[in-house]
Coordinates of all heavy atoms in Angstrom, one line a residue:
I1 N -11.6 -3.7 -6.1 CA -10.3 -4.2 -5.5 C -9.5 -4.6 -6.7 O -9.9 -5.3 -7.6 CB -10.5 -5.4 -4.6 CG1 -11.2 -4.9 -3.3 CG2 -9.1 -5.9 -4.2 CD1 -11.5 -6.0 -2.3
L2 N -8.2 -4.1 -6.7 CA -7.3 -4.5 -7.7 C -6.1 -5.3 -7.1 O -5.7 -5.0 -6.0 CB -6.6 -3.2 -8.4 CG -7.5 -2.4 -9.3 CD1 -6.7 -1.2 -9.9 CD2 -7.9 -3.3 -10.5
L3 N -5.7 -6.3 -7.9 CA -4.5 -7.1 -7.5 C -3.4 -6.7 -8.4 O -3.5 -6.7 -9.6 CB -4.8 -8.6 -7.7 CG -3.7 -9.5 -7.5 CD1 -3.2 -9.5 -6.1 CD2 -4.1 -11.0 -7.9
W4 N -2.3 -6.2 -7.8 CA -1.1 -5.8 -8.5 C 0.0 -6.9 -8.3 O 0.2 -7.4 -7.2 CB -0.5 -4.5 -7.9 CG -1.5 -3.4 -7.9 CD1 -2.6 -3.2 -7.1 CD2 -1.4 -2.2 -8.8 NE1 -3.2 -2.0 -7.4 CE2 -2.5 -1.4 -8.4 CE3 -0.6 -1.8 -9.7 CZ2 -2.8 -0.2 -9.0 CZ3 -0.8 -0.5 -10.3 CH2 -1.9 0.3 -9.9
V5 N 0.5 -7.4 -9.4 CA 1.5 -8.5 -9.4 C 2.8 -8.1 -10.0 O 2.8 -7.6 -11.1 CB 0.9 -9.8 -10.1 CG1 1.9 -10.9 -10.0 CG2 -0.4 -10.2 -9.4
S6 N 3.9 -8.3 -9.3 CA 5.2 -8.1 -9.9 C 5.9 -9.4 -10.1 O 5.9 -10.3 -9.3 CB 6.0 -7.3 -8.8 OG 7.4 -7.1 -9.3
E7 N 6.4 -9.5 -11.3 CA 7.1 -10.8 -11.7 C 8.6 -10.5 -11.9 O 9.0 -9.5 -12.4 CB 6.5 -11.3 -13.1 CG 7.1 -12.6 -13.5 CD 6.5 -13.0 -14.9 OE1 5.5 -12.4 -15.3 OE2 7.1 -13.8 -15.5
R8 N 9.4 -11.5 -11.4 CA 10.8 -11.4 -11.6 C 11.4 -12.8 -12.0 O 11.1 -13.7 -11.2 CB 11.5 -10.8 -10.3 CG 13.0 -10.6 -10.5 CD 13.7 -10.2 -9.2 NE 13.0 -9.2 -8.5 CZ 13.0 -9.1 -7.2 NH1 13.8 -9.8 -6.5 NH2 12.3 -8.2 -6.6
N9 N 12.0 -12.9 -13.1 CA 12.6 -14.2 -13.6 C 11.6 -15.3 -13.6 O 11.8 -16.4 -13.2 CB 13.8 -14.6 -12.7 CG 14.9 -13.6 -12.6 OD1 15.2 -13.0 -13.7 ND2 15.6 -13.4 -11.5
G10 N 10.4 -14.9 -14.1 CA 9.3 -15.9 -14.3 C 8.6 -16.3 -13.0 O 7.8 -17.2 -13.0
M11 N 8.9 -15.6 -11.9 CA 8.3 -16.0 -10.6 C 7.6 -14.7 -10.1 O 8.0 -13.6 -10.3 CB 9.4 -16.4 -9.6 CG 10.3 -17.5 -10.0 SD 9.5 -19.1 -9.9 CE 9.4 -19.3 -8.1
I12 N 6.6 -14.9 -9.3 CA 5.9 -13.8 -8.6 C 6.8 -13.3 -7.5 O 7.2 -14.1 -6.6 CB 4.5 -14.3 -8.1 CG1 3.6 -14.6 -9.2 CG2 3.9 -13.1 -7.2 CD1 2.3 -15.1 -8.8
A13 N 7.2 -12.0 -7.6 CA 8.0 -11.4 -6.6 C 7.3 -10.6 -5.5 O 7.7 -10.5 -4.4 CB 9.1 -10.5 -7.3
A14 N 6.1 -10.1 -5.9 CA 5.3 -9.3 -5.0 C 3.9 -9.2 -5.5 O 3.6 -9.3 -6.7 CB 5.9 -7.8 -4.9
V15 N 3.0 -9.1 -4.5 CA 1.6 -8.8 -4.8 C 1.1 -7.7 -3.9 O 1.5 -7.6 -2.7 CB 0.7 -10.1 -4.7 CG1 1.1 -11.2 -5.7 CG2 0.8 -10.7 -3.2
L16 N 0.2 -6.9 -4.4 CA -0.4 -5.9 -3.6 C -1.9 -5.8 -3.9 O -2.3 -6.1 -5.1 CB 0.2 -4.5 -3.9 CG 1.7 -4.4 -3.6 CD1 2.5 -4.6 -4.8 CD2 1.9 -3.0 -3.0
L17 N -2.7 -5.5 -2.9 CA -4.2 -5.3 -3.1 C -4.5 -3.8 -2.8 O -4.1 -3.3 -1.8 CB -5.0 -6.2 -2.2 CG -5.1 -7.6 -2.5 CD1 -5.8 -8.4 -1.4 CD2 -5.7 -7.9 -3.8
T18 N -5.3 -3.2 -3.7 CA -5.7 -1.8 -3.4 C -7.3 -1.8 -3.6 O -7.8 -2.6 -4.3 CB -5.1 -0.8 -4.4 OG1 -5.4 -1.1 -5.7 CG2 -3.6 -0.7 -4.2
A19 N -7.9 -0.8 -3.0 CA -9.3 -0.6 -3.1 C -9.6 0.9 -3.1 O -8.9 1.6 -2.4 CB -10.1 -1.3 -2.0
L20 N -10.6 1.3 -3.9 CA -11.0 2.7 -3.9 C -12.2 2.8 -2.9 O -13.1 2.0 -3.0 CB -11.4 3.1 -5.3 CG -10.4 3.1 -6.3 CD1 -10.9 3.6 -7.7 CD2 -9.2 3.9 -6.0
L21 N -12.1 3.7 -1.9 CA -13.1 3.9 -0.9 C -13.6 5.3 -0.9 O -12.8 6.2 -1.0 CB -12.4 3.6 0.5 CG -11.7 2.2 0.6 CD1 -11.0 2.2 2.0 CD2 -12.7 1.1 0.5
K22 N -14.9 5.4 -0.7 CA -15.6 6.7 -0.6 C -15.4 7.2 0.8 O -15.8 6.5 1.8 CB -17.0 6.7 -1.0 CG -17.2 6.4 -2.5 CD -18.7 6.4 -2.9 CE -18.8 6.1 -4.3 NZ -20.2 6.1 -4.7
R23 N -14.8 8.3 1.0 CA -14.6 8.9 2.4 C -15.2 10.3 2.4 O -15.4 10.9 1.3 CB -13.1 9.1 2.7 CG -12.3 7.8 2.7 CD -12.7 6.9 3.8 NE -12.1 5.6 3.8 CZ -11.3 5.1 4.7 NH1 -11.2 5.7 5.8 NH2 -10.8 3.9 4.5
P24 N -15.6 10.8 3.6 CA -16.1 12.2 3.6 C -15.2 13.2 3.0 O -15.7 14.2 2.4 CB -16.3 12.5 5.1 CG -16.4 11.1 5.7 CD -15.5 10.2 4.9
S25 N -13.9 13.0 3.0 CA -12.9 13.9 2.4 C -12.7 13.7 1.0 O -11.9 14.4 0.3 CB -11.6 13.8 3.2 OG -11.1 12.5 3.1
G26 N -13.4 12.7 0.4 CA -13.2 12.4 -1.1 C -12.8 10.9 -1.3 O -12.7 10.1 -0.3
L27 N -12.6 10.5 -2.5 CA -12.2 9.2 -2.8 C -10.8 8.9 -2.3 O -9.9 9.8 -2.4 CB -12.3 9.0 -4.3 CG -12.3 7.6 -4.8 CD1 -13.5 6.8 -4.3 CD2 -12.3 7.6 -6.4
A28 N -10.6 7.7 -1.7 CA -9.3 7.3 -1.2 C -8.9 6.0 -1.8 O -9.7 5.1 -2.0 CB -9.2 7.2 0.3
C29 N -7.6 5.8 -2.2 CA -7.1 4.6 -2.6 C -6.4 4.0 -1.4 O -5.4 4.5 -0.9 CB -6.1 4.8 -3.8 SG -5.4 3.2 -4.4
K30 N -6.8 2.8 -0.9 CA -6.2 2.2 0.2 C -5.4 0.9 -0.2 O -5.9 0.1 -0.9 CB -7.3 1.8 1.2 CG -6.8 1.1 2.5 CD -7.8 0.9 3.5 CE -7.2 0.4 4.8 NZ -8.2 0.1 5.8
L31 N -4.2 0.9 0.3 CA -3.4 -0.3 0.2 C -3.9 -1.3 1.2 O -3.7 -1.1 2.4 CB -1.9 0.0 0.3 CG -0.9 -1.2 0.3 CD1 -1.0 -1.8 -1.1 CD2 0.5 -0.7 0.6
M32 N -4.5 -2.4 0.7 CA -5.1 -3.3 1.7 C -4.2 -4.4 2.2 O -4.2 -4.8 3.3 CB -6.3 -4.1 1.0 CG -7.3 -3.1 0.3 SD -8.3 -2.2 1.6 CE -9.2 -3.4 2.3
A33 N -3.3 -4.9 1.3 CA -2.3 -5.9 1.7 C -1.2 -5.9 0.7 O -1.3 -5.5 -0.4 CB -3.0 -7.2 1.7
A34 N 0.0 -6.3 1.2 CA 1.2 -6.4 0.4 C 2.1 -7.5 0.9 O 2.2 -7.7 2.1 CB 2.0 -5.1 0.4
A35 N 2.6 -8.2 0.0 CA 3.6 -9.3 0.3 C 4.6 -9.5 -0.8 O 4.2 -9.3 -2.0 CB 2.8 -10.6 0.6
G36 N 5.7 -10.0 -0.4 CA 6.7 -10.2 -1.5 C 8.1 -10.5 -0.9 O 8.3 -10.5 0.3
V37 N 9.0 -10.6 -1.8 CA 10.4 -10.9 -1.5 C 11.2 -9.7 -1.8 O 11.0 -9.0 -2.7 CB 11.0 -12.1 -2.2 CG1 10.3 -13.4 -1.7 CG2 10.9 -12.0 -3.7
G38 N 12.2 -9.4 -1.0 CA 13.1 -8.2 -1.1 C 12.4 -6.9 -0.9 O 11.2 -6.9 -0.6
D39 N 13.1 -5.8 -1.0 CA 12.5 -4.5 -0.8 C 12.8 -3.5 -1.9 O 12.3 -2.4 -1.8 CB 12.9 -3.9 0.6 CG 14.4 -3.7 0.7 OD1 15.1 -4.1 -0.2 OD2 14.8 -3.2 1.8
G40 N 13.5 -3.9 -2.9 CA 13.9 -2.9 -3.9 C 12.8 -2.4 -4.8 O 12.9 -1.3 -5.4
E41 N 11.7 -3.2 -4.9 CA 10.6 -2.8 -5.8 C 9.5 -2.0 -5.1 O 8.7 -1.5 -5.8 CB 10.1 -4.0 -6.5 CG 11.1 -4.7 -7.4 CD 10.6 -5.8 -8.2 OE1 9.4 -5.8 -8.6 OE2 11.3 -6.8 -8.4
W42 N 9.5 -2.0 -3.8 CA 8.3 -1.4 -3.2 C 8.1 0.1 -3.5 O 7.0 0.5 -3.7 CB 8.4 -1.6 -1.7 CG 8.2 -3.0 -1.3 CD1 9.2 -3.8 -0.7 CD2 7.1 -3.8 -1.4 NE1 8.7 -5.1 -0.5 CE2 7.4 -5.1 -0.9 CE3 5.8 -3.6 -1.9 CZ2 6.5 -6.2 -0.9 CZ3 4.9 -4.7 -1.9 CH2 5.3 -5.9 -1.4
A43 N 9.2 0.9 -3.5 CA 9.1 2.3 -3.8 C 8.5 2.5 -5.2 O 7.7 3.3 -5.5 CB 10.4 3.0 -3.7
A44 N 9.0 1.7 -6.2 CA 8.5 1.8 -7.6 C 7.0 1.4 -7.6 O 6.2 2.1 -8.3 CB 9.3 0.9 -8.5
W45 N 6.6 0.4 -6.9 CA 5.2 0.1 -6.9 C 4.4 1.2 -6.4 O 3.3 1.5 -6.9 CB 5.0 -1.2 -6.0 CG 5.1 -2.4 -6.8 CD1 6.1 -3.3 -6.8 CD2 4.1 -3.0 -7.7 NE1 5.8 -4.4 -7.7 CE2 4.6 -4.1 -8.3 CE3 2.9 -2.5 -8.1 CZ2 3.9 -4.9 -9.2 CZ3 2.2 -3.2 -9.1 CH2 2.7 -4.4 -9.6
H46 N 4.8 1.8 -5.3 CA 4.0 2.9 -4.7 C 3.9 4.1 -5.7 O 2.9 4.7 -5.7 CB 4.6 3.4 -3.4 CG 4.1 2.5 -2.3 ND1 2.8 2.8 -1.7 CD2 4.5 1.4 -1.6 CE1 2.6 1.8 -0.7 NE2 3.6 1.0 -0.7
R47 N 4.9 4.4 -6.4 CA 4.8 5.4 -7.5 C 3.7 5.1 -8.5 O 3.0 5.9 -8.9 CB 6.2 5.7 -8.1 CG 7.2 6.4 -7.2 CD 8.4 6.9 -8.0 NE 9.2 5.8 -8.5 CZ 10.2 5.2 -7.8 NH1 10.4 5.5 -6.6 NH2 10.9 4.2 -8.4
R48 N 3.7 3.8 -8.9 CA 2.7 3.4 -9.9 C 1.3 3.5 -9.3 O 0.3 3.9 -9.9 CB 3.0 1.9 -10.3 CG 4.2 1.8 -11.2 CD 4.3 0.4 -11.6 NE 5.6 0.2 -12.3 CZ 6.4 -0.8 -12.2 NH1 6.0 -1.9 -11.4 NH2 7.5 -0.9 -12.8
I49 N 1.2 3.0 -8.0 CA -0.2 3.1 -7.4 C -0.6 4.5 -7.2 O -1.8 4.9 -7.3 CB -0.2 2.3 -6.1 CG1 0.0 0.8 -6.4 CG2 -1.4 2.5 -5.3 CD1 0.3 -0.1 -5.2
E50 N 0.4 5.4 -6.8 CA 0.0 6.8 -6.6 C -0.5 7.4 -8.0 O -1.4 8.2 -8.0 CB 1.2 7.6 -6.1 CG 1.5 7.3 -4.7 CD 2.8 8.0 -4.2 OE1 3.5 8.7 -5.0 OE2 3.2 7.7 -3.0
A51 N 0.2 7.0 -9.1 CA -0.2 7.5 -10.4 C -1.6 7.0 -10.7 O -2.5 7.8 -11.2 CB 0.8 7.1 -11.4
Y52 N -1.9 5.8 -10.4 CA -3.2 5.2 -10.6 C -4.3 5.9 -9.8 O -5.3 6.3 -10.3 CB -3.2 3.7 -10.3 CG -4.6 3.1 -10.0 CD1 -5.5 2.9 -11.1 CD2 -5.0 2.9 -8.7 CE1 -6.8 2.4 -10.8 CE2 -6.3 2.4 -8.4 CZ -7.2 2.1 -9.5 OH -8.4 1.6 -9.3
A53 N -4.0 6.2 -8.5 CA -4.9 6.9 -7.6 C -5.2 8.3 -8.1 O -6.4 8.8 -8.1 CB -4.4 6.9 -6.2
K54 N -4.2 9.0 -8.6 CA -4.4 10.3 -9.2 C -5.3 10.3 -10.4 O -6.2 11.1 -10.6 CB -3.1 11.0 -9.5 CG -2.3 11.4 -8.3 CD -1.0 12.0 -8.7 CE -0.1 12.4 -7.4 NZ 1.2 12.9 -7.8
A55 N -5.1 9.3 -11.2 CA -5.9 9.1 -12.4 C -7.3 8.9 -12.1 O -8.2 9.2 -12.9 CB -5.3 8.0 -13.3
E56 N -7.6 8.2 -11.0 CA -8.9 7.9 -10.5 C -9.5 9.0 -9.7 O -10.6 8.9 -9.1 CB -8.9 6.6 -9.7 CG -8.6 5.4 -10.5 CD -9.7 5.0 -11.5 OE1 -10.9 5.2 -11.2 OE2 -9.3 4.5 -12.6
V57 N -8.8 10.1 -9.6 CA -9.2 11.4 -8.9 C -9.4 11.1 -7.4 O -10.3 11.6 -6.7 CB -10.5 12.0 -9.5 CG1 -10.7 13.4 -9.0 CG2 -10.4 12.0 -11.0
C58 N -8.5 10.3 -6.8 CA -8.4 10.1 -5.4 C -7.8 11.3 -4.7 O -6.9 11.9 -5.2 CB -7.6 8.8 -5.0 SG -8.4 7.3 -5.6
A59 N -8.4 11.6 -3.5 CA -7.9 12.7 -2.7 C -6.6 12.3 -1.9 O -5.8 13.1 -1.6 CB -8.9 13.2 -1.7
K60 N -6.5 10.9 -1.7 CA -5.3 10.4 -0.9 C -5.1 9.0 -1.1 O -6.0 8.3 -1.6 CB -5.5 10.8 0.6 CG -6.7 10.1 1.2 CD -6.7 10.5 2.7 CE -8.0 10.0 3.3 NZ -8.1 10.4 4.7
L61 N -4.0 8.5 -0.8 CA -3.6 7.1 -0.7 C -3.3 6.8 0.7 O -2.6 7.6 1.4 CB -2.4 6.9 -1.6 CG -1.9 5.4 -1.7 CD1 -2.8 4.7 -2.7 CD2 -0.5 5.3 -2.1
C62 N -3.8 5.7 1.2 CA -3.6 5.3 2.6 C -3.3 3.9 2.8 O -3.6 3.1 1.9 CB -4.8 5.8 3.4 SG -6.4 5.0 2.9
A63 N -2.6 3.6 3.9 CA -2.3 2.2 4.2 C -2.2 2.0 5.7 O -1.7 2.9 6.4 CB -1.0 1.8 3.6
E64 N -2.7 1.0 6.3 CA -2.5 0.7 7.7 C -1.3 -0.3 7.6 O -1.4 -1.4 7.1 CB -3.7 0.0 8.3 CG -4.9 1.0 8.4 CD -6.1 0.4 9.1 OE1 -6.0 -0.7 9.7 OE2 -7.2 1.0 9.0
S65 N -0.2 0.1 8.2 CA 1.0 -0.7 8.2 C 1.9 -0.4 9.4 O 1.5 0.4 10.3 CB 1.8 -0.3 6.9 OG 2.2 1.1 6.9
R66 N 2.9 -1.1 9.5 CA 3.9 -0.9 10.6 C 4.6 0.4 10.4 O 4.8 0.9 9.2 CB 4.8 -2.1 10.8 CG 5.6 -2.5 9.6 CD 6.3 -3.7 9.9 NE 7.0 -4.2 8.7 CZ 8.2 -3.7 8.4 NH1 8.8 -2.8 9.1 NH2 8.8 -4.1 7.3
R67 N 5.1 1.0 11.5 CA 5.8 2.3 11.4 C 7.0 2.3 10.4 O 7.3 3.3 9.9 CB 6.3 2.7 12.8 CG 5.2 3.1 13.7 CD 5.7 3.7 15.0 NE 4.7 4.0 15.9 CZ 4.0 5.2 15.9 NH1 4.3 6.1 15.1 NH2 3.1 5.4 16.8
G68 N 7.7 1.2 10.3 CA 8.9 1.1 9.5 C 8.6 1.5 8.0 O 9.6 2.0 7.4
W69 N 7.4 1.3 7.5 CA 7.1 1.8 6.1 C 7.3 3.2 6.0 O 7.6 3.7 4.8 CB 5.7 1.3 5.8 CG 5.7 -0.1 5.3 CD1 5.7 -1.2 6.2 CD2 5.6 -0.6 4.0 NE1 5.6 -2.3 5.4 CE2 5.6 -2.0 4.1 CE3 5.6 0.0 2.8 CZ2 5.5 -2.8 2.9 CZ3 5.5 -0.8 1.6 CH2 5.5 -2.2 1.8
A70 N 7.1 4.0 7.0 CA 7.3 5.5 6.9 C 8.7 5.9 6.4 O 8.9 6.9 5.7 CB 6.9 6.2 8.2
R71 N 9.7 5.1 6.7 CA 11.1 5.3 6.4 C 11.3 5.2 4.9 O 12.2 5.8 4.3 CB 12.0 4.4 7.1 CG 12.2 4.8 8.6 CD 13.4 4.1 9.2 NE 13.3 2.6 9.0 CZ 12.7 1.7 9.9 NH1 12.2 2.2 11.0 NH2 12.7 0.5 9.6
I72 N 10.6 4.2 4.2 CA 10.8 4.0 2.8 C 9.8 4.6 1.9 O 9.9 4.5 0.7 CB 10.9 2.5 2.5 CG1 9.6 1.7 2.8 CG2 12.1 1.8 3.2 CD1 9.6 0.3 2.3
L73 N 8.8 5.3 2.5 CA 7.8 6.0 1.7 C 7.8 7.5 2.0 O 7.1 8.0 2.8 CB 6.4 5.4 2.0 CG 6.2 4.0 1.5 CD1 4.9 3.5 2.0 CD2 6.4 3.8 0.0
P74 N 8.7 8.2 1.3 CA 8.8 9.7 1.5 C 7.5 10.4 1.2 O 6.8 10.0 0.3 CB 10.0 10.1 0.6 CG 10.1 9.1 -0.4 CD 9.6 7.8 0.2
G75 N 7.2 11.3 2.1 CA 6.0 12.1 1.9 C 4.8 11.6 2.6 O 3.7 12.3 2.7
Y76 N 4.8 10.4 3.1 CA 3.7 9.8 3.9 C 3.9 10.2 5.3 O 5.0 10.3 5.8 CB 3.7 8.3 3.7 CG 3.2 7.8 2.4 CD1 4.0 7.9 1.3 CD2 2.0 7.2 2.3 CE1 3.5 7.5 0.1 CE2 1.5 6.8 1.1 CZ 2.3 6.9 0.0 OH 1.8 6.5 -1.3
Q77 N 2.8 10.4 6.0 CA 2.8 10.8 7.4 C 2.0 9.7 8.2 O 1.1 9.1 7.8 CB 2.0 12.1 7.6 CG 2.6 13.3 6.9 CD 1.8 14.5 7.0 OE1 0.6 14.4 7.3 NE2 2.3 15.6 6.7
T78 N 2.5 9.5 9.4 CA 1.8 8.6 10.3 C 0.7 9.3 11.0 O 0.8 10.3 11.6 CB 2.8 8.1 11.5 OG1 3.9 7.5 10.9 CG2 2.1 7.1 12.4
K79 N -0.6 8.8 10.7 CA -1.8 9.4 11.2 C -2.4 8.7 12.4 O -3.1 9.3 13.2 CB -2.8 9.5 10.1 CG -2.5 10.3 8.9 CD -2.5 11.8 9.4 CE -2.3 12.8 8.3 NZ -2.3 14.1 8.7
R80 N -2.1 7.4 12.5 CA -2.6 6.6 13.7 C -1.8 5.3 13.7 O -1.2 4.9 12.8 CB -4.1 6.4 13.6 CG -4.5 5.5 12.4 CD -6.0 5.2 12.4 NE -6.4 4.4 11.3 CZ -6.8 4.9 10.1 NH1 -6.8 6.2 9.9 NH2 -7.1 4.1 9.1
V81 N -2.0 4.7 14.9 CA -1.4 3.4 15.1 C -2.5 2.4 15.3 O -3.5 2.7 16.0 CB -0.5 3.4 16.4 CG1 0.1 2.1 16.7 CG2 0.6 4.5 16.2
V82 N -2.4 1.3 14.7 CA -3.4 0.2 14.8 C -2.9 -0.8 15.9 O -1.7 -1.3 15.7 CB -3.6 -0.5 13.5 CG1 -4.6 -1.7 13.7 CG2 -4.2 0.4 12.4
L83 N -3.6 -1.0 16.9 CA -3.2 -1.9 18.0 C -3.8 -3.3 17.7 O -4.9 -3.5 17.2 CB -3.7 -1.4 19.3 CG -3.2 -0.1 19.8 CD1 -4.0 0.3 21.0 CD2 -1.8 -0.1 20.0
E84 N -3.0 -4.3 18.1 CA -3.5 -5.7 17.9 C -3.0 -6.5 19.1 O -2.0 -6.1 19.8 CB -3.0 -6.3 16.6 CG -1.5 -6.5 16.5 CD -1.1 -7.1 15.2 OE1 -1.8 -6.9 14.2 OE2 0.0 -7.8 15.2
K85 N -3.7 -7.6 19.3 CA -3.3 -8.5 20.4 C -3.1 -9.9 19.8 O -4.0 -10.3 19.0 CB -4.4 -8.5 21.5 CG -4.1 -9.5 22.6 CD -5.2 -9.4 23.6 CE -4.9 -10.3 24.8 NZ -6.0 -10.3 25.8
R86 N -2.1 -10.6 20.0 CA -1.8 -11.9 19.6 C -2.7 -12.9 20.4 O -2.7 -12.8 21.6 CB -0.4 -12.3 19.7 CG 0.0 -13.6 19.0 CD 1.4 -13.9 19.0 NE 2.2 -12.8 18.3 CZ 2.5 -12.7 17.1 NH1 2.1 -13.7 16.3 NH2 3.2 -11.8 16.6
L87 N -3.5 -13.7 19.7 CA -4.3 -14.7 20.4 C -3.6 -16.0 20.4 O -3.2 -16.5 19.3 CB -5.7 -14.7 19.7 CG -6.4 -13.4 19.6 CD1 -7.7 -13.6 18.8 CD2 -6.8 -12.9 21.0
T88 N -3.6 -16.6 21.5 CA -2.9 -18.0 21.6 C -3.9 -19.0 22.1 O -4.9 -18.8 22.6 CB -1.7 -17.9 22.6 OG1 -2.2 -17.5 23.8 CG2 -0.7 -17.0 22.1

């Protein structure tokens, strides 16, 4: 697991976690979690993570996320939807 940290003006602006997973189709780099402020840096982060995944000979990069991410990540396809239930 790798922790990616973005700093802006001496403050942490964003953090991302990735993991390399062995899959039947080959090695995959999975975006496990992401959090931060603003949205201007996310696309740049994904380009860096894609370059890392290619260097590690990953067959794909994947993330379980909300549908809205598909709009800001060109080239990614929605493969499934994760259902959840809020527990009260």
Side-chain angles (χ1 to χ4, degrees):
I1 295 179
L2 285 180
L3 171 66
W4 303 71
V5 180
S6 174
E7 181 183 344
R8 187 183 316 152
N9 299 325
M11 304 283 290
I12 293 175
V15 294
L16 298 99
L17 286 175
T18 59
L20 299 181
L21 306 172
K22 292 182 182 177
R23 302 288 173 127
S25 60
L27 196 61
C29 180
K30 182 173 183 179
L31 177 60
M32 306 293 289
V37 294
D39 61 356
E41 295 185 33
W42 293 112
W45 269 105
H46 275 277
R47 284 191 296 274
R48 289 181 189 144
I49 293 170
E50 287 173 4
Y52 161 75
K54 287 178 184 177
E56 292 293 325
V57 194
C58 291
K60 62 182 172 181
L61 182 81
C62 57
E64 291 181 15
S65 63
R66 56 187 176 83
R67 288 187 186 274
W69 277 79
R71 289 192 305 268
I72 62 170
L73 295 173
Y76 285 72
Q77 300 172 343
T78 303
K79 293 292 188 179
R80 66 179 175 268
V81 175
V82 176
L83 299 174
E84 67 179 26
K85 180 179 180 179
R86 188 173 304 270
L87 301 175
T88 56

